[in-house]
């Protein structure tokens, strides 16, 4: 795996933010570039909470799992897992899934490593453990896994219907327990 330069990482980060219409403060943007450069080049196991805290250090509650119910702009409750089970989902579902892909220990037949990397990011977004920054965090983690397995950096999130379908299939067995 070739090391990415700061300029290459900055270009990937800028493309990701622009293509997905994500706005960050100047400090968050700089922190994201530093975090991506370190995560993608060093290839150590990552902690979602620590990464979130590093990128969103200027946001109250950075690195802390959400405790609120998520409400959309129409004042409707959003369909994400209840906040009281987020820590358990991160430990019992996200962490082992991330570790399997990190170690290339895929148990699902015919699952490509590229699809597995995407699923880890989508899983994080599906759990939605933080109030802000879940898409950005999934970008960092998915691409760390992609780089680990020799794949190029992906800057465009999959279309919302693809993500929503995955989230529905993933959480269907747990829906009554996890959702309000």
């Amino acid at each position: 795996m070739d090391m990415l330069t700061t300029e290459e990482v900055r270009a990937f980060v800028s493309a990701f933010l622009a293509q997905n219409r994500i706005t960050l403060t100047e400090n968050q943007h700089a922190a994201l570039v530093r975090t991506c450069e370190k995560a993608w080049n060093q290839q150590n196991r990552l902690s979602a909470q620590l990464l979130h805290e590093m990128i969103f250090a200027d946001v109250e509650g950075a690195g802390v799992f959400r405790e609120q119910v998520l409400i959309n702009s129409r004042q409707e409750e959003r369909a994400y897992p209840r906040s009281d089970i987020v820590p358990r989902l991160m430990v019992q579902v996200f962490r082992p899934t991330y570790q399997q892909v990190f170690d290339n220990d895929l148990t699902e037949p015919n699952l490509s490593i590229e699809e597995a990397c995407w699923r880890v990011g989508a899983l994080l977004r599906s759990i939605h453990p933080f109030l802000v920054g879940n898409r950005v965090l999934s970008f960092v983690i998915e691409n760390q896994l992609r780089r680990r397995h020799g794949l190029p950096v992906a800057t465009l999130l999959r279309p919302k219907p693809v993500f929503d379908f995955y989230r529905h299939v993933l959480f269907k067995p747990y829906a009554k327990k996890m959702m309000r």
Side-chain angles (χ1 to χ4, degrees):
M1 174 185 68
D2 293 338
M3 298 285 279
L4 293 174
T5 67
T6 302
E7 292 75 29
E8 289 170 321
V9 172
R10 187 175 290 115
F12 285 129
V13 166
S14 295
F16 165 74
L17 296 173
Q19 290 171 351
N20 297 287
R21 298 188 200 128
I22 297 173
T23 305
L24 297 179
T25 66
E26 195 173 307
N27 287 342
Q28 291 167 348
H29 188 276
L32 178 57
V33 170
R34 284 191 307 273
T35 302
C36 287
E37 185 174 16
K38 185 175 181 178
W40 297 350
N41 286 332
Q42 292 184 0
Q43 291 298 309
N44 297 320
R45 292 186 196 276
L46 301 176
S47 158
Q49 285 182 281
L50 181 59
L51 287 173
H52 191 269
E53 187 175 347
M54 291 167 59
I55 298 166
F56 297 99
D58 58 350
V59 174
E60 187 177 334
V64 177
F65 293 141
R66 66 179 165 85
E67 295 178 358
Q68 296 90 331
V69 172
L70 298 171
I71 305 294
N72 66 18
S73 60
R74 294 183 303 272
Q75 299 304 304
E76 301 164 333
E77 190 172 322
R78 294 174 65 192
Y80 286 105
R82 293 188 334 257
S83 59
D84 63 321
I85 63 169
V86 164
R88 190 172 59 220
L89 288 172
M90 290 299 289
V91 170
Q92 295 176 357
V93 179
F94 177 78
R95 188 180 298 156
T97 303
Y98 168 81
Q99 288 176 350
Q100 279 184 329
V101 177
F102 186 90
D103 295 335
N104 198 11
D105 185 23
L106 306 181
T107 56
E108 189 176 327
N110 303 319
L111 178 65
S112 72
I113 194 66
E114 185 170 16
E115 181 70 12
C117 293
W118 175 80
R119 285 185 181 184
V120 170
L123 177 60
L124 181 76
R125 289 173 38 222
S126 297
I127 295 171
H128 212 84
F130 305 102
L131 284 176
V132 299
N134 294 289
R135 291 186 300 164
V136 170
L137 194 58
S138 71
F139 164 75
V140 176
I141 291 173
E142 176 185 345
N143 281 299
Q144 185 241 6
L145 294 170
R146 290 176 64 86
R147 297 255 315 134
R148 178 171 176 77
H149 297 295
L151 298 169
V153 172
T155 58
L156 187 61
L157 294 173
R158 291 195 183 172
K160 187 168 176 7
V162 174
F163 168 71
D164 286 345
F165 175 77
Y166 173 75
R167 186 175 68 181
H168 173 73
V169 169
L170 175 71
F171 287 133
K172 189 175 184 178
Y174 311 103
K176 288 183 181 179
K177 293 178 187 175
M178 294 187 340
M179 310 295 196
R180 286 191 186 257

